[in-house]
Amino acid sequence: MAQSKDKGSQTARQRKNKQTKAKAKGTRSDAKQPFDDDEQPGTPTATGTPRNESDDNGTAQTASEREKHVANAVLKQKLGKELEAFKPGRVKRRRWFISGIVFGVAAALSGILYANPTQSPHINHIHQVLGEFDVTSLLPESLMPEDFIRDVSKLLSLDGFGQETAANYTSGDFQPAQTLVREEGLKKKHNVILIPGIISSGLESWSTADCSRPYFRQRLWGTSTMFKAILLDKECWVQHMMLDKKTGLDPPGIKLRAAKGLDAADYFITGYWIWGKIIENLAVLGYDSNDMDLAAYDWRLSHYDLERRDQYFSSLKSRMEVALKAGGKKTVLVPHSMGSQVIQYFMKWVESPQGGNGGSSWVNDHIEAIVNLAGTPLGVPKTLSSLLSGEQRETVQPLANYLLDHFMNRNELARIFRSWTGLASLLPKGGNAVWGDLGGAPDDQEDAEAVSYGAQIRFDSDSGVGRISNQTMEEALGLLYRVLDADAQRLLRRDYSYGVFRTQAEMDANKEDHRVWTNPLQHQLPRAPNMTIYCLYGHGATTERAYYYAADDMGADGVLHEEFGTPALRIDKRQRAQVSNVDIGIIHGEGDGTVPLLSLGYMCADAWRKPLFNPHGVRVVTREFVHNPLAAFKDIRGGAGASDHINILGNHDVTADLLRVVAGKGHLVEDQFNSNIREYSGRIRIP
């Protein structure tokens, strides 16, 4: 049908062209296009006579034709030569222009997939994503945007290369749940609450003033509205996303709140799932919105302010109490990434008279298990680079990271990141005891050509930093503190602590200090002997561990200086061919692509098995999964074997373990180690 239609339109165009050529022999004006020369309505023609509102045959123009002619002239006068590219007569140029766009998009995306396939957007759904952008309103009519989008989508759909695999994995095959229900008889038992990580919760605008009105109740984080706002209204978007530097809360006149319900973080944008796979699998066991919830939160806020502004922890406590009272069901909490720290804070808050005042038995009575997925108990080093110089690769979710990196400079990013007091919760904890010193680090590689991780920030002799030397983790945090302004310093002191307690006396003296509730090395697990903590995480993906830096601005006194929040340091991206584990200034180590192995595994494999940190014998299970993605042309997200930081939420083995826990068969889930985490943990000198 499409072929016959194309042939028919082609024949019609040929007949029209013949008629036009025949007329051109007798009358010149019939063959003329509106912008074939520099003539404008009412200006002299080549013969010096003003052009009339009728053509050379004496046929009067209609009103609409005259309006169109005048409009075209005005456009030409304003845009000049730029309009030449869109002449109806320049068909060949237009086709080459469109072809160039298609080729450029394809080449760029191919490069992304080749370099880092598991962190790229899901190309098979580009048609849906672009459809939400209303590209038709942004492109000239002559560019035929509908055809352009269709053709680009088709070009990037990976036809012939594992299309069936990709389609099944994207649309939802409800595996491995269907197999486990059939073979192991799994069915729902416990109430389930999913706790998303940093960035993955959608944030929607409730502001009604000024630039906020077009975005009322639309998500400025998550969905294509975010993309459009960054591209077309960046200043307004930044105003909404930044927090007030004095209060750490909403700026005056701005109100951004976490979206609610399961769809708050099931998909980041159309086609790019986050919790969608896990929700589908839980549904196979019989779960629905009555016994499964997603407790989204405004991840920009510190944990202290989450309760102060949104009563987040009070609401979480109430949900679990209702579930137990109404159905006799304890709850399985399933946090991902930063969500693991949110739950650490909650367990101390809910017991404390300063918080939920639930008493020492509340956690044991209400929580069956905590299943940490790619948890970050000891933080993420790349958070340091994000706050120090506004530079990062995956501190934020990959799709958002791509936008921020390409449409904002690092000075703007540093201002935004520093306003997010919640981001500081991901700064590394444990100091030099965990992350090493200038003599070495617990996770140093045996490769003689690899640089040690003990210096979190390194400077070459010609990096221009004067008297500043290589920085250990503790020194690097001190350096960050020095470059923050007074308000950021005050909020950092108010909200967090990053050290280590080594005695019971220290634990007892600080148990009511909310600053230590996000640091598992400065508080103890609750009195919950019937609860189990599961740590499920991936490894085997190249992960940022430390950095080379250079000076961006240095005073004569050798001290870093900043003005208006401009970072005084930058990552030194020079190539260092003589070092095996460094690329463009980033020192790489082991982990899940975002979180280093030390943070993923030390607490679970070691510290939480010691009386100082787990005095009441909470059962702790560690499960490691080697990152084993499919080739990009088979599945852009890595498939069922991917276990990097985000795509672990679609890993079949991880999902199977989770399903067994929520179905009451958690006793079948036992330790599984296949990395060097226990060896590294043995080198950390903490009692």
Side-chain angles (χ1 to χ4, degrees):
M1 289 290 292
Q3 289 179 347
S4 61
K5 184 177 180 181
D6 290 342
K7 289 180 180 178
S9 59
Q10 213 171 27
T11 304
R13 285 196 298 269
Q14 290 172 351
R15 284 199 302 268
K16 185 175 181 180
N17 288 338
K18 289 180 181 179
Q19 294 171 359
T20 303
K21 289 178 181 177
K23 285 185 177 182
K25 295 179 181 179
T27 57
R28 176 177 176 272
S29 62
D30 285 346
K32 182 183 282 290
Q33 296 297 331
F35 300 127
D36 273 356
D37 53 33
D38 292 333
E39 296 174 11
Q40 296 180 17
T43 60
T45 63
T47 60
T49 307
R51 182 174 296 278
N52 298 323
E53 291 185 354
S54 60
D55 60 20
D56 293 342
N57 288 328
T59 305
Q61 293 179 331
T62 65
S64 61
E65 287 175 333
R66 287 196 300 271
E67 290 173 0
K68 184 176 180 181
H69 195 63
V70 172
N72 284 339
V74 173
L75 281 173
K76 180 181 178 183
Q77 187 176 12
K78 289 186 175 182
L79 300 181
K81 294 182 179 180
E82 294 181 9
L83 284 174
E84 292 291 323
F86 304 116
K87 278 188 179 182
R90 302 287 179 90
V91 177
K92 290 185 178 180
R93 288 190 182 183
R94 186 171 67 232
R95 288 174 179 171
W96 279 111
F97 178 72
I98 297 172
S99 300
I101 293 177
V102 173
F103 179 79
V105 171
L109 290 171
S110 298
I112 294 172
L113 301 185
Y114 179 78
N116 196 1
T118 62
Q119 299 296 346
S120 304
H122 203 291
I123 306 304
N124 286 345
H125 285 265
I126 193 171
H127 184 228
Q128 294 170 276
V129 175
L130 291 177
E132 292 186 14
F133 269 92
D134 190 20
V135 180
T136 304
S137 65
L138 304 178
L139 293 176
E141 184 178 356
S142 59
L143 286 184
M144 300 170 292
E146 293 88 351
D147 295 335
F148 168 67
I149 296 171
R150 184 196 63 225
D151 293 341
V152 173
S153 302
K154 184 177 181 181
L155 177 65
L156 299 173
S157 66
L158 307 177
D159 287 342
F161 295 97
Q163 184 182 32
E164 182 178 354
T165 301
N168 288 340
Y169 197 60
T170 302
S171 60
D173 54 12
F174 300 96
Q175 290 292 354
Q178 290 185 332
T179 299
L180 292 173
V181 168
R182 182 174 63 252
E183 296 181 356
E184 299 183 18
L186 297 188
K187 60 182 179 180
K188 70 175 182 180
K189 180 176 181 180
H190 302 292
N191 188 56
V192 173
I193 298 180
L194 311 175
I195 315 292
I198 188 169
I199 307 299
S200 57
S201 294
L203 301 178
E204 58 187 25
S205 173
W206 285 84
S207 309
T208 58
D210 302 327
C211 70
S212 306
R213 292 173 185 170
Y215 303 108
F216 181 69
R217 293 200 65 198
Q218 295 189 48
R219 294 189 191 178
L220 289 178
W221 191 272
T223 77
S224 61
T225 302
M226 166 190 168
F227 289 69
K228 288 187 285 189
I230 292 177
L231 292 171
L232 304 177
D233 201 359
K234 187 176 79 170
E235 288 186 9
C236 183
W237 183 85
V238 170
Q239 288 176 24
H240 282 76
M241 290 303 300
M242 287 187 66
L243 295 173
D244 186 275
K245 62 184 301 182
K246 297 287 186 183
T247 66
L249 301 174
D250 298 304
I254 299 294
K255 184 183 288 187
L256 216 59
R257 295 294 181 266
K260 301 297 183 182
L262 293 173
D263 62 351
D266 54 352
Y267 287 80
F268 186 74
I269 61 171
T270 305
Y272 194 99
W273 50 263
I274 301 177
W275 287 94
K277 294 291 177 185
I278 286 179
I279 292 171
E280 291 170 359
N281 277 270
L282 288 169
V284 174
L285 268 62
Y287 283 95
D288 56 38
S289 57
N290 289 326
D291 41 29
M292 170 175 56
D293 196 6
L294 191 146
Y297 56 94
D298 189 340
W299 38 265
R300 301 173 304 154
L301 299 178
S302 70
H303 302 138
Y304 175 80
D305 285 332
L306 272 177
E307 177 62 21
R308 184 161 70 108
R309 192 195 75 177
D310 297 343
Q311 296 78 54
Y312 177 80
F313 296 111
S314 295
S315 174
L316 193 60
K317 176 176 181 278
S318 176
R319 292 184 221 185
M320 286 185 266
E321 289 175 339
V322 168
L324 184 64
K325 185 175 182 179
K329 296 180 179 180
K330 294 171 73 173
T331 296
V332 173
L333 296 173
V334 188
H336 172 247
S337 188
M338 178 185 174
S340 65
Q341 293 192 3
V342 172
I343 295 306
Q344 283 291 310
Y345 187 97
F346 170 77
M347 287 193 294
K348 304 309 294 181
W349 174 90
V350 77
E351 291 181 334
S352 172
Q354 309 297 326
N357 198 28
S360 60
S361 65
W362 192 96
V363 172
N364 194 61
D365 294 340
H366 293 82
I367 301 178
E368 173 68 19
I370 298 171
V371 184
N372 288 312
L373 303 178
T376 59
L378 296 182
V380 186
K382 65 178 59 182
T383 307
L384 177 63
S385 67
S386 298
L387 294 173
L388 186 61
S389 60
E391 296 170 286
Q392 43 75 49
R393 282 187 175 176
E394 295 155 359
T395 299
V396 298
Q397 201 270 349
L399 283 177
N401 174 61
Y402 178 84
L403 267 186
L404 296 180
D405 261 357
H406 287 75
F407 294 96
M408 295 185 186
N409 62 51
R410 64 188 189 84
N411 296 345
E412 292 174 311
L413 289 176
R415 287 179 56 244
I416 295 172
F417 290 154
R418 291 176 186 180
S419 79
W420 295 347
T421 51
L423 185 59
S425 71
L426 288 174
L427 284 170
K429 302 170 180 67
N432 296 354
V434 172
W435 301 98
D437 54 32
L438 298 183
D443 54 339
D444 275 348
Q445 299 179 20
E446 296 181 0
D447 184 355
E449 296 183 349
V451 67
S452 170
Y453 304 127
Q456 183 62 31
I457 294 179
R458 290 181 172 271
F459 301 100
D460 284 336
S461 59
D462 60 346
S463 58
V465 295
R467 297 193 300 268
I468 298 180
S469 59
N470 292 344
Q471 308 277 296
T472 65
M473 183 63 78
E474 292 176 5
E475 292 168 339
L477 290 174
L479 180 63
L480 170 64
Y481 187 82
R482 287 162 53 196
V483 302
L484 296 176
D485 63 31
D487 290 311
Q489 291 177 352
R490 174 178 52 81
L491 292 175
L492 197 63
R493 290 196 306 269
R494 183 199 71 176
D495 292 330
Y496 302 112
S497 177
Y498 302 100
V500 179
F501 290 157
R502 298 174 179 273
T503 67
Q504 185 63 46
E506 289 177 298
M507 294 287 189
D508 292 339
N510 294 278
K511 65 180 181 180
E512 296 301 328
D513 184 349
H514 74 90
R515 293 176 299 173
V516 306
W517 293 349
T518 56
N519 184 351
L521 291 171
Q522 291 187 310
H523 71 253
Q524 297 175 315
L525 290 179
R527 189 186 299 274
N530 298 328
M531 182 183 74
T532 301
I533 294 178
Y534 299 88
C535 301
L536 313 182
Y537 59 84
H539 70 94
T542 300
T543 304
E544 295 175 42
R545 177 63 173 81
Y547 303 88
Y548 276 91
Y549 264 84
D552 223 14
D553 180 28
M554 179 70 66
D557 55 1
V559 178
L560 298 173
H561 295 280
E562 292 201 356
E563 296 180 3
F564 310 111
T566 301
L569 291 171
R570 58 176 173 79
I571 291 178
D572 189 346
K573 297 181 179 179
R574 290 178 292 180
Q575 293 296 332
R576 295 168 175 82
Q578 75 279 11
V579 184
S580 62
N581 61 339
V582 178
D583 182 36
I584 58 171
I586 297 172
I587 305 172
H588 293 293
E590 298 178 71
D592 68 356
T594 296
V595 185
L597 185 58
L598 283 180
S599 182
L600 290 164
Y602 172 66
M603 294 305 301
C604 310
D606 190 281
W608 278 337
R609 302 178 188 228
K610 296 177 177 179
L612 179 62
F613 301 104
N614 186 5
H616 307 293
V618 174
R619 179 178 176 241
V620 178
V621 175
T622 303
R623 301 273 290 174
E624 296 185 326
F625 301 86
V626 178
H627 180 46
N628 186 28
L630 292 172
F633 65 79
K634 291 185 178 179
D635 194 313
I636 214 76
R637 299 290 299 274
S643 59
D644 56 328
H645 191 63
I646 293 178
N647 294 323
I648 195 172
L649 296 175
N651 183 289
H652 280 197
D653 292 335
V654 171
T655 304
D657 285 346
L658 169 61
L659 296 177
R660 293 185 181 105
V661 172
V662 302
K665 295 188 177 183
H667 60 280
L668 300 176
V669 181
E670 299 178 341
D671 283 340
Q672 173 179 287
F673 292 99
N674 42 46
S675 77
N676 295 322
I677 186 59
R678 288 181 290 184
E679 178 184 347
Y680 299 156
S681 298
R683 300 172 186 168
I684 296 175
R685 302 305 178 191
I686 296 178

